[in-house]
Amino acid sequence: MKVKTISRCEEDFTRERKQDVQKVFRNYDPLLHPMERATEYVQALNATKLDKVFAKPFVSALEGHADGVYVLTKNPQRLSQVLSGSMDGVVYLWDLAHRKIVRQLEGHEQAVRGIAVPGSTGDVCVTCSDDCTARLWRLPDMEEAINFGGSLKPSAVFQGSSGFRAVDHHWNKPLFVTAGIKVDVWDSTRNEPVNSFAWGTDSVYSCKFNPSETDVFATTASDRSICLYDLRMSSPLRKLIMQTKTNKIAWNPREAFNFTAASEDSCCYSYDMRKMDGATCIHKDHVSAVMDIDYSPTGREFVTGSYDRTIRIFKYNAGRSRDVYHTKRMQRVFSVCYSQDAAYVISGSDDTIIRLWKSDASSQHGQMLNREKHKQAHKNAVKKRFKHLPEISRIERHHHVPKQIHRASKLRTTMEQAARVKSQRRAAHSTPEAAAKAIKSARKKKIVAEME
């Protein structure tokens, strides 16, 4: 005969201190909780509403520049180090933890167009300017920079034949690329370019190295083209001509072949460099030209800055923005970047101010108790479970934007709908062969030609 006894340990039921939370034991049998799904739906709805209530993304405004901030670059090896360049030729090294300038990089006489830091070391940076020079600087570590302020002098100066519009440094090798009338590849130990690329006669506006395939880089030019290059080859790889000019390019750090282009037509286009006959995704919501773009270190999101005075955060595979940031005083946004921990977004605008934002507007920064972490994880789980339901998705999509942007967005929607109806009617009154040629998918419509 078996005898079952109930044995309880007193330590499992008593608190060590009065301040401790009372332990609650729960039976997870679904038969005992018939209203569980309804309860979790209400929790998800309340959590989504509270996220909107407590959305306070703005953190700080960093003052110091005397002209518009057109270039921002983070240091991949130093978490709180950011460099900014303005139209008056001044480059500042910032410490985001203390929110102050720790060094001034003196040397350029005209507008600074590009700043690049190598991803492997982070101890040097390259800047380029309209004064036809590119300059190499040795960066101090943050402790040295804070204790010994002042200015820095360039360790090397590279003279070009014309003004430079952009620069980017190789992730591993002592090489950097400048963009201007042509694309030049420089070695930091030589005064002359080691290689030059040219495809057409138009000016090149931006260049960006691939963080995974480190010898591959992309450029954008005034002939509305996106070009791919490989340092191991003597000629360009591929050229894509679009209907509108592309301002900047950002590579996805977690997907070696994918990049996103910020276009003049207020949209961003994601491409796979292996098959560029169509975009993999079109990202809409801006109402004016997208001036800069930068991916999160996680590769799951990217941030854009636009001429319409707003900053938007997109998921890498979403057509609409997850969030939008704006202030009354912020003017045209010309530069944006993510922090290295993906917790913050930095923006530089035409009003000389650098602004620091949370990447998640309602997130709580600072020390959190374990109880708070578990509660936050539960809220995120129920929101993810019910995100497809109409009420929750409507609240998540809703954003307050300035009145002029709201009006421009409505007008743009009306124009797009009218163009869509016009093309459908034209196809309906054409022969099947002509209609098949006239109708193009939205992902291929913006591409004029692809050349190899």
Side-chain angles (χ1 to χ4, degrees):
M1 179 180 178
K2 293 183 179 180
V3 178
K4 295 183 179 180
T5 60
I6 298 176
S7 175
R8 292 191 177 96
C9 180
E10 188 178 357
E11 295 178 357
D12 295 338
F13 295 90
T14 55
R15 294 178 294 176
E16 294 182 2
R17 298 183 301 274
K18 290 184 178 180
Q19 292 80 14
D20 290 350
V21 179
Q22 193 73 262
K23 294 182 180 180
V24 178
F25 295 88
R26 183 184 175 194
N27 190 335
Y28 288 96
D29 185 358
L31 296 176
L32 300 177
H33 304 281
M35 301 297 291
E36 180 181 12
R37 187 173 179 83
T39 304
E40 288 186 350
Y41 171 74
V42 173
Q43 290 175 351
L45 187 63
N46 291 338
T48 306
K49 291 178 179 178
L50 288 174
D51 280 350
K52 293 293 182 180
V53 170
F54 294 109
K56 299 185 184 300
F58 183 71
V59 177
S60 178
L62 309 179
E63 301 179 0
H65 282 286
D67 208 335
V69 182
Y70 278 57
V71 187
L72 275 175
T73 303
K74 59 180 177 285
N75 192 328
Q77 297 296 324
R78 296 169 186 174
L79 183 62
S80 63
Q81 202 173 79
V82 172
L83 293 112
S84 63
S86 65
M87 296 302 287
D88 58 359
V90 176
V91 179
Y92 285 136
L93 177 65
W94 296 86
D95 179 15
L96 292 184
H98 297 85
R99 299 175 194 171
K100 67 176 185 179
I101 301 169
V102 293
R103 282 288 194 279
Q104 178 178 344
L105 280 58
E106 296 180 348
H108 288 297
E109 299 174 355
Q110 295 184 29
V112 178
R113 295 292 184 177
I115 304 173
V117 181
S120 59
T121 59
D123 57 351
V124 298
C125 77
V126 182
T127 61
C128 70
S129 171
D130 285 342
D131 59 7
C132 307
T133 62
R135 299 171 187 262
L136 183 70
W137 314 78
R138 299 292 176 185
L139 297 178
D141 57 27
M142 293 313 299
E143 183 178 355
E144 178 186 352
I146 293 173
N147 293 334
F148 306 98
S151 59
L152 291 176
K153 299 297 181 183
S155 57
V157 179
F158 306 91
Q159 186 69 41
S161 57
S162 60
F164 296 123
R165 300 303 302 267
V167 65
D168 197 26
H169 202 287
H170 195 283
W171 281 75
N172 302 319
K173 301 174 184 176
L175 301 173
F176 63 92
V177 171
T178 56
I181 294 178
K182 56 183 178 178
V183 178
D184 292 324
V185 181
W186 302 76
D187 191 327
S188 58
T189 60
R190 298 179 61 178
N191 291 328
E192 296 295 330
V194 295
N195 198 359
S196 294
F197 297 99
W199 196 342
T201 58
D202 294 270
S203 298
V204 182
Y205 286 149
S206 68
C207 56
K208 203 72 174 177
F209 271 103
N210 189 328
S212 302
E213 294 289 334
T214 54
D215 287 327
V216 176
F217 66 95
T219 64
T220 64
S222 59
D223 62 350
R224 313 187 311 277
S225 67
I226 300 172
C227 291
L228 297 178
Y229 301 85
D230 194 329
L231 294 179
R232 297 163 292 189
M233 301 179 67
S234 58
S235 61
L237 294 176
R238 190 173 295 177
K239 187 175 186 178
L240 190 70
I241 298 178
M242 302 185 67
Q243 289 184 357
T244 52
K245 190 184 74 172
T246 301
N247 291 318
K248 286 291 176 65
I249 277 181
W251 292 91
N252 191 323
R254 293 290 179 257
E255 297 176 359
F257 301 105
N258 296 343
F259 65 90
T260 303
S263 180
E264 196 79 12
D265 65 353
S266 77
C267 295
C268 296
Y269 300 90
S270 293
Y271 291 98
D272 188 327
M273 64 177 286
R274 298 167 295 182
K275 185 176 170 56
M276 295 178 63
D277 59 346
T280 58
C281 187
I282 301 176
H283 312 276
K284 302 178 180 180
D285 263 350
H286 283 294
V287 296
S288 191
V290 185
M291 304 306 296
D292 199 8
I293 182 171
D294 187 46
Y295 262 95
S296 165
T298 61
R300 314 310 290 174
E301 292 181 339
F302 63 86
V303 60
T304 59
S306 173
Y307 206 71
D308 61 10
R309 304 185 183 94
T310 62
I311 300 163
R312 290 185 182 268
I313 298 176
F314 294 83
K315 292 185 178 179
Y316 78 105
N317 57 355
R320 297 291 179 177
S321 60
R322 174 177 67 80
D323 215 337
V324 54
Y325 300 158
H326 55 87
T327 67
K328 288 184 178 179
R329 296 184 180 182
M330 186 166 68
Q331 298 302 309
R332 319 290 186 185
V333 181
F334 286 96
S335 55
V336 290
C337 70
Y338 258 98
S339 63
Q340 273 301 106
D341 58 354
Y344 296 95
V345 168
I346 307 110
S347 68
S349 53
D350 211 18
D351 56 0
T352 75
I353 303 297
I354 297 173
R355 290 176 173 85
L356 189 65
W357 314 79
K358 295 178 185 177
S359 60
D360 185 0
S362 59
S363 64
Q364 179 183 345
H365 288 187
Q367 193 72 21
M368 293 177 67
L369 300 174
N370 285 334
R371 210 169 44 196
E372 294 174 321
K373 293 179 182 178
H374 292 318
K375 183 180 179 181
Q376 187 65 39
H378 175 71
K379 285 169 59 177
N380 293 337
V382 295
K383 282 194 299 180
K384 184 177 180 180
R385 183 180 181 184
F386 295 98
K387 66 180 179 181
H388 61 282
L389 295 181
E391 187 67 14
I392 292 178
S393 63
R394 182 190 65 80
I395 295 171
E396 279 189 341
R397 287 196 314 268
H398 180 74
H399 303 296
H400 289 286
V401 294
K403 192 176 293 184
Q404 62 271 22
I405 294 177
H406 181 66
R407 290 172 180 167
S409 180
K410 287 181 67 176
L411 178 62
R412 190 176 187 86
T413 304
T414 304
M415 292 168 63
E416 289 177 353
Q417 180 65 22
R420 193 179 303 115
V421 171
K422 183 177 181 180
S423 64
Q424 290 172 355
R425 289 175 178 172
R426 181 175 292 171
H429 292 81
S430 303
T431 61
E433 295 79 8
K437 291 181 180 179
I439 296 177
K440 281 187 177 181
S441 67
R443 298 186 178 189
K444 296 184 178 181
K445 193 183 298 182
K446 296 293 182 178
I447 298 174
V448 176
E450 183 182 1
M451 296 182 287
E452 293 186 3

